[in-house]
Amino acid sequence: GAAHVDADEVSRKLTGENGEALDDIRRVFGDAAFLEDGTLDRALLAERAFATPEETKLLNGVTHPEILRLINKKINGAFFDGYEGVILDASQLFESGLNERCTLVVSVVAPEDVRLKRIMERDGISEEKARLRMSAQYPEEFFRTHSNYVIENTGTAEDLKLQLRQLAGLFEQHIAGER
């Protein structure tokens, strides 16, 4: 009974081919942030954006307003379409202020060494670059203290699915007004 809004999907739409955020990114980060074919050089932009907290803030300042506008439009549309709730998947939930729209906040956490390995494998980057990205994120304790529920993503995919099924039951109770 809930709609799903994926902030990364919205971001990719805005920064993909003919995306609405490309002109602003070019204005702030220059032509060097783009490949010869005119598409965004995501690896280079990530490297620059995570180099310093100021650069991260600069990228967020360029992209977040439009991302927030589209996410809010999707959330409002979901309720208009009759959904009883919206699950917002947003890695930058707190940084963007979207947590203020949430009735419940769930964070998925893992130990630093596990996150480091996952980032390196997912993005094909060095440990140094992965640590740089991690340094731009809130520490695990922040998520533990600012969330209604915490999911421990340290086991198998089946362990994670079990936790998610349990959480789905809690959400259903919450929507029904039982919690």
Side-chain angles (χ1 to χ4, degrees), residues 46-119:
E47 190 173 318
R48 284 191 58 194
F50 294 117
T52 66
E54 294 78 23
E55 291 288 310
T56 303
K57 188 175 181 179
L58 191 59
L59 178 62
N60 289 346
V62 170
T63 58
H64 278 187
E66 191 61 19
I67 291 170
L68 290 173
R69 185 187 71 75
L70 285 179
I71 286 173
N72 281 311
K73 184 177 178 181
K74 285 179 173 276
I75 291 170
N76 294 338
F79 287 117
F80 181 79
D81 289 342
Y83 285 97
E84 296 180 36
V86 174
I87 296 172
L88 174 59
D89 182 355
S91 62
Q92 298 276 299
L93 182 73
F94 295 100
E95 294 88 342
S96 67
L98 279 168
N99 60 302
E100 297 298 324
R101 282 208 72 180
C102 298
T103 305
L104 298 172
V105 173
V106 177
S107 290
V108 180
V109 299
E112 183 177 322
D113 61 324
V114 172
R115 289 186 298 127
L116 179 67
K117 181 180 175 191
R118 288 176 180 165
I119 292 170

Side-chain angles (χ1 to χ4, degrees), residues 4-175:
H4 176 246
V5 176
D6 184 339
D8 284 342
E9 184 180 292
V10 170
S11 175
R12 281 189 298 276
K13 178 181 178 191
L14 291 169
T15 59
E17 189 175 348
N18 300 316
E20 297 173 40
L22 295 179
D23 288 341
D24 287 335
I25 292 171
R26 187 179 303 276
R27 179 180 48 77
V28 173
F29 290 95
D31 290 334
F34 293 82
L35 299 170
E36 286 184 26
D37 65 1
T39 59
L40 186 62
D41 186 339
R42 293 178 186 281
L44 178 73
L45 185 62
E47 190 173 318
R48 284 191 58 194
F50 294 117
T52 66
E54 294 78 23
E55 291 288 310
T56 303
K57 188 175 181 179
L58 191 59
L59 178 62
N60 289 346
V62 170
T63 58
H64 278 187
E66 191 61 19
I67 291 170
L68 290 173
R69 185 187 71 75
L70 285 179
I71 286 173
N72 281 311
K73 184 177 178 181
K74 285 179 173 276
I75 291 170
N76 294 338
F79 287 117
F80 181 79
D81 289 342
Y83 285 97
E84 296 180 36
V86 174
I87 296 172
L88 174 59
D89 182 355
S91 62
Q92 298 276 299
L93 182 73
F94 295 100
E95 294 88 342
S96 67
L98 279 168
N99 60 302
E100 297 298 324
R101 282 208 72 180
C102 298
T103 305
L104 298 172
V105 173
V106 177
S107 290
V108 180
V109 299
E112 183 177 322
D113 61 324
V114 172
R115 289 186 298 127
L116 179 67
K117 181 180 175 191
R118 288 176 180 165
I119 292 170
M120 290 169 58
E121 288 175 1
R122 180 194 69 206
D123 297 343
I125 59 175
S126 69
E127 180 177 336
E128 180 184 349
K129 288 181 181 178
R131 287 193 184 281
L132 200 54
R133 288 186 187 187
M134 289 172 60
S135 71
Q137 301 169 345
Y138 285 121
E140 182 180 329
E141 191 55 37
F142 175 90
F143 295 104
R144 290 188 180 282
T145 58
H146 289 83
S147 302
N148 301 93
Y149 300 99
V150 175
I151 292 181
E152 305 285 343
N153 189 6
T154 56
T156 66
E158 282 305 312
D159 295 336
L160 185 60
K161 286 179 186 176
L162 176 62
Q163 289 182 77
L164 292 172
R165 281 196 284 288
Q166 292 170 341
L167 190 59
L170 292 172
F171 283 164
E172 289 172 1
Q173 290 174 4
H174 185 79
I175 288 171

